[in-house]
Amino acid sequence: MGKLFIWIGSHIRHVVQVAFTLVTNGYMAGFTNGTIYTGASKAVCVPGLNCYSCPGAIGSCPIGALQAVLGSRDFKFTFYIAGFLIFVGALIGKLVCGWLCPFGLLQDAIHKIPFVKKLRKLPGDRWLKYLKYGILVGFVILLPLLVTDIIGQGQPWFCKYICPSGTLMAGIPLVAADPGLQDAAGGLFAWKIGILVVLVFLSIAVYRPFCRYLCPLGAVYGLFNKVSLYRLIVDEEKCTKCGACKKACKLDIPVFKQPNSPECIRCGACKKACPNGAICSTFEKWTRERKGITNEEI
């Protein structure tokens, strides 16, 4: 039992990722029956990507929910979803991506597959990382608002044309379970499968390509990283700028310079790698202060 607790302690982030994925996608009957859960909890958003149409989903994805409201002919703004995103972002920022997002867990697992050469980033990373903001503005906000049908109804453009999480967790299970959907699946489904396949293969060589370049939800949370209650703090007196934090960071962030970069998913690798214990979170700092622990005692 002691070894189990030690293992859990050393893999706590992955344990939380798996647990949260199971909790938020716990309607197992949906996968066996090819049905979608429609209980009351579906009206509640969860922090990470969690496709509404996934057979196992018991909550809603904030990006999907936002598009549904913006594309509605009756409503063009939602205080609930906007407030939810602001609250979560202001509290923990992009920690959601590193600890609570099911599709982030999948990318983490895929990246462990051996490959000839692991890349720190894709060519053009400097500009590609801004693509997710374009997707947020264009596919999540503007297109559902402005491109409507004859009755004034918009479409969930990101979910329909891009989201690989929805393809994996909703599209594939539902099509596999329903012969009628198999017959109806056409070019759009093939396009979505293509995006998923490309991202799966990219994830082997590059750490979290979807999070880095395409995810609009991560784009929202990343904007809060510098102001969220949970932030990273670098003790300038202890930091020698040795670069160990950047070397450990799979997103290639120079943490000693940018501890709260919009790209940081708060995985904690930099804190473990720092030889001088110069990096901690605001939560850890507050805990130490309450216990009366000084920097010299750490």
Side-chain angles (χ1 to χ4, degrees), residues 17 23 40 43 64 71 85 110 116 124 126 160 169 177 183 187 194 197 244 252 280:
Q17 284 177 295
V23 168
L85 290 171
I110 292 174
V116 177
R126 180 182 178 183
K160 185 174 181 179
M169 302 180 74
D183 294 335
V197 169
D252 201 38
C280 71

Side-chain angles (χ1 to χ4, degrees), residues 2-26:
K3 290 183 178 180
L4 176 61
F5 284 123
I6 292 174
W7 184 90
I8 290 175
S10 61
H11 296 81
I12 186 64
R13 184 170 75 92
H14 296 316
V15 170
V16 172
Q17 284 177 295
V18 171
F20 194 80
T21 297
L22 293 177
V23 168
T24 55
N25 294 275

Side-chain angles (χ1 to χ4, degrees), residues 193-209:
I193 289 291
I195 292 177
L196 177 62
V197 169
V198 169
L199 285 171
V200 165
F201 279 104
L202 277 177
S203 296
I204 298 175
V206 183
Y207 188 65
R208 290 198 175 211

Side-chain angles (χ1 to χ4, degrees), residues 33-46:
N33 301 331
T35 57
I36 300 174
Y37 179 73
T38 57
S41 63
K42 267 298 183 70
V44 179
C45 287
V46 297

Side-chain angles (χ1 to χ4, degrees), residues 28-68:
M28 294 298 103
F31 290 105
T32 57
N33 301 331
T35 57
I36 300 174
Y37 179 73
T38 57
S41 63
K42 267 298 183 70
V44 179
C45 287
V46 297
L49 286 178
N50 201 70
C51 187
Y52 183 95
S53 299
C54 172
I58 60 174
S60 293
C61 172
I63 290 297
L66 178 61
Q67 290 175 101

Side-chain angles (χ1 to χ4, degrees), residues 242-284:
C242 65
C245 53
K246 181 178 180 180
K247 185 176 180 181
C249 178
K250 294 180 180 179
L251 294 171
D252 201 38
I253 299 170
V255 182
F256 64 94
K257 293 181 181 178
Q258 299 173 290
N260 295 293
S261 164
E263 308 305 315
C264 176
I265 61 172
R266 318 299 205 197
C267 70
C270 57
K271 293 193 294 180
K272 293 180 180 179
C274 181
N276 303 306
I279 305 172
C280 71
S281 71
T282 49
F283 288 9
E284 290 167 327

Side-chain angles (χ1 to χ4, degrees), residues 145-195:
L145 272 174
L146 302 178
V147 182
T148 59
D149 58 23
I150 194 171
I151 61 172
Q153 190 79 21
Q155 298 183 43
W157 286 77
F158 173 74
C159 296
K160 185 174 181 179
Y161 293 100
I162 297 177
C163 186
S165 179
T167 304
L168 177 67
M169 302 180 74
I172 292 176
L174 291 175
V175 169
D178 189 333
L181 289 178
Q182 294 170 19
D183 294 335
L188 179 58
F189 185 66
W191 164 258
K192 293 287 294 292
I193 289 291
I195 292 177

Side-chain angles (χ1 to χ4, degrees), residues 210-239:
F210 175 71
C211 300
R212 290 188 182 203
Y213 307 123
L214 300 178
C215 183
L217 185 56
V220 173
Y221 290 143
L223 296 175
F224 290 89
N225 266 4
K226 291 185 178 181
V227 297
S228 61
L229 289 178
Y230 184 98
R231 300 187 306 280
L232 294 183
I233 301 172
V234 177
D235 188 330
E236 297 295 339
E237 293 182 0
K238 290 183 177 182
C239 179

